[in-house]
Amino acid sequence: MTAQVRQVLRAKIVLAAADGLTNAAIARELKISVNTVRKWRGRFAADGVAALADAQRSGRPRLYGPQVRVAVVAAATSAPPYPESTWSHRRIAAQVAGTAFAEISPSQVGRILADLDLKPHRVRGWLTRRDTPDFWQRATDVCNLYLNPPEGAVVLSIDEKTAIAARSRRHPGQAPRPGRMARQEFEYRRHGTASLVAALDVRSGEVLTETITRNNAATFTAFLEQVDTVIDPAKDIHIVLDNGSSHTAKHTKTWLAAHPRWHVHWTPPHASWLNQIELFFSSLTRRVLRNGDFRSRDHLIDKLDAYVIQHNKTAKPYRWTYDGTPLKTA
């Protein structure tokens, strides 16, 4: 297809010249350089229509024709043979050889794929979001709650962070120095896991957390009971929840129905990023967990508690954003 476009352009140059246009006029009309016009007018004048075709190129001719290249692409864009799940260059080369097209080296397979920007070894995850007719209504409700919290009410963002691994490195790490980043031992020992349930006060930014051993509806409502006891009974409580199983369980809904001052604002499915507590969990992960070293489960829990205490000393409401635009004017 590209060669045909080039030949059409060359033909237009020749036809325009036959109409008596100057080189400069042809160049302006076709939006090309004057040198290109001169080149193809000269070739046509010397050798006629045959001169408009591509000249023979120098260099080594292709070893593999279009059939082999198509076979490589066909293999790379199909499922690999059972039970494998990922293609390698060597496996594609064997597949092409098995189709009786030609023997081809893994390195040549790599060059063909690179030329096409085709990377069968890489996978990018994506989500087929189920139809949520009330997505915008739910999202609007949560955003309005953040922007205009009910007068005299408490607004909480609640969720769990589960399966936090307590791991210790087998050897001490090395601090960074000029020209070299910090180093951390690859091998580690496991000391169990811990889970948190947390409630963020949207107005103040303060967080209340509790370590839990099970993430189920009974544990979740027990946490709500504790929160209920420490908040002024005269105040309504508005909470933002995602659609986790412990939040939507019949047991939880029964508890909420029995406590009418609790008002739930549900995020749409697969939109837990609307829940501000995720910002706290993100900060906790970056500052404590990602490169942390924990010699025991109790040591992990102690660091989690210490971080929450320090966070609450200087807590401020988050400048939460939606679609890149600051939602709060804090």
Side-chain angles (χ1 to χ4, degrees):
M1 182 61 72
T2 304
Q4 293 175 359
V5 171
R6 289 198 296 264
Q7 290 170 3
V8 168
L9 176 62
R10 297 163 194 170
K12 286 180 178 180
I13 293 171
V14 173
L15 291 172
D19 290 337
L21 296 180
T22 64
N23 289 348
I26 296 172
R28 283 195 301 272
E29 183 178 330
L30 299 179
K31 298 181 180 179
I32 56 177
S33 69
V34 175
N35 287 337
T36 300
V37 176
R38 289 197 191 103
K39 171 184 175 180
W40 292 107
R41 287 190 69 171
R43 287 196 181 185
F44 179 78
D47 298 310
V49 175
L52 300 183
D54 288 338
Q56 189 69 31
R57 294 181 181 273
S58 61
R60 182 181 177 184
R62 280 186 173 180
L63 294 177
Y64 306 102
Q67 278 190 320
V68 175
R69 295 173 67 84
V70 169
V72 169
V73 173
T77 55
S78 63
Y82 182 86
E84 300 180 26
S85 60
T86 304
W87 284 110
S88 66
H89 292 171
R90 187 177 299 279
R91 192 70 185 85
I92 292 175
Q95 178 81 358
V96 172
T99 61
F101 283 113
E103 293 289 337
I104 185 171
S105 68
S107 58
Q108 183 62 29
V109 169
R111 283 189 284 272
I112 291 174
L113 296 179
D115 185 51
L116 299 170
D117 194 25
L118 188 56
K119 302 171 183 177
H121 61 286
R122 299 188 64 180
V123 177
R124 182 174 181 176
W126 71 306
L127 172 69
T128 303
R129 187 187 299 276
R130 70 173 184 261
D131 185 33
T132 310
D134 61 346
F135 178 91
W136 294 112
Q137 290 89 334
R138 290 199 194 189
T140 299
D141 176 55
V142 173
C143 290
N144 282 338
L145 178 66
Y146 293 155
L147 276 172
N148 305 298
E151 188 67 30
V154 176
V155 179
L156 302 177
S157 172
I158 303 178
D159 202 4
E160 298 93 351
K161 185 172 181 63
T162 59
I164 306 170
R167 303 185 299 187
S168 62
R169 306 290 166 175
R170 289 185 177 270
H171 301 283
Q174 298 177 11
R177 66 187 188 195
R180 195 189 77 180
M181 66 180 69
R183 296 184 176 183
Q184 191 173 56
E185 172 66 27
F186 179 77
E187 290 188 313
Y188 55 84
R189 295 182 176 89
R190 295 178 183 271
H191 304 291
T193 62
S195 298
L196 283 181
V197 58
L200 165 72
D201 187 326
V202 172
R203 277 197 171 101
S204 68
E206 294 183 347
V207 177
L208 174 67
T209 64
E210 182 185 1
T211 304
I212 57 176
T213 55
R214 298 189 65 184
N215 180 27
N216 56 22
T219 301
F220 182 66
T221 54
F223 178 72
L224 298 184
E225 284 280 5
Q226 292 186 35
V227 175
D228 190 67
T229 59
V230 298
I231 294 178
D232 183 349
K235 291 186 175 183
D236 279 356
I237 304 172
H238 290 256
I239 59 174
V240 179
L241 292 178
D242 64 19
N243 298 271
S245 59
S246 62
H247 307 160
T248 58
K250 183 178 179 180
H251 176 84
T252 301
K253 291 183 176 180
T254 301
W255 187 94
L256 290 169
H259 296 75
R261 72 167 178 151
W262 287 72
H263 309 275
V264 181
H265 301 260
W266 301 99
T267 66
H270 305 302
S272 58
W273 47 271
L274 284 167
N275 203 343
Q276 284 196 27
I277 191 64
E278 299 297 340
L279 296 174
F280 172 77
F281 287 152
S282 176
S283 176
L284 174 68
T285 299
R286 293 193 310 272
R287 300 179 64 178
V288 179
L289 303 177
R290 182 169 296 159
N291 298 314
D293 195 82
F294 313 102
R295 58 180 176 268
S296 66
R297 182 176 180 274
D298 289 341
H299 186 214
L300 167 63
I301 294 172
D302 181 67
K303 284 193 172 184
L304 294 174
D305 291 342
Y307 178 77
V308 173
I309 292 171
Q310 292 176 11
H311 169 86
N312 287 338
K313 288 180 180 178
T314 58
K316 295 179 180 179
Y318 286 108
R319 284 182 62 86
W320 191 86
T321 65
Y322 186 95
D323 195 26
T325 304
L327 188 69
K328 290 178 70 71
T329 55

